[in-house]
Amino acid sequence: MLQMAKDQAPIYNALGYNYLTQNNIDEALTYFEKYIAAAPKNPNVYDSMGDYYVKAQDFKKAHSYFQKAFRMDSINFKSSYQKAEALKDKLGY
């Protein structure tokens, strides 16, 4: 499927979330990194990586990725801002 896809980025994202829901953190990271490499100007890649880091319990990195997604597109990624704000308690902000 990856070889046939014109745009592989959404497939990387779907695979990342698939592995994330299976608690296969290492594989999820691999595909989210490929997602970022395939579409670095898309704020969704950073929101997805934020979700990954929440699952991996690295709240500082998650916060950073959510903020980046929001900074790139503050209109369509208000949920990224909300996710970042929700992590402030865990970070002691």
Side-chain angles (χ1 to χ4, degrees):
M1 185 164 58
L2 277 170
Q3 289 83 14
M4 293 173 30
K6 189 174 186 179
D7 180 9
Q8 296 176 341
I11 297 170
Y12 291 140
N13 191 37
L15 287 168
Y17 277 109
N18 181 55
Y19 285 114
L20 204 59
T21 60
Q22 296 175 23
N23 292 319
N24 190 336
I25 300 295
D26 294 334
E27 285 295 318
L29 179 60
T30 297
Y31 285 100
F32 286 131
E33 287 174 339
K34 288 180 180 189
Y35 185 33
I36 288 175
K41 294 183 180 180
N42 181 346
N44 191 61
V45 302
Y46 303 102
D47 182 76
S48 295
M49 189 63 95
D51 290 336
Y52 164 81
Y53 278 114
V54 167
K55 183 78 168 186
Q57 297 189 355
D58 187 336
F59 303 119
K60 187 174 183 178
K61 284 187 180 178
H63 185 266
S64 176
Y65 277 103
F66 289 141
Q67 284 187 314
K68 182 169 185 162
F70 178 71
R71 281 192 312 269
M72 290 176 76
D73 184 347
S74 62
I75 294 171
N76 295 308
F77 283 85
K78 289 179 184 174
S79 63
S80 296
Y81 175 80
Q82 293 165 344
K83 291 178 192 180
E85 288 294 303
L87 290 174
K88 285 186 173 181
D89 289 341
K90 293 180 190 281
L91 296 170
Y93 294 168

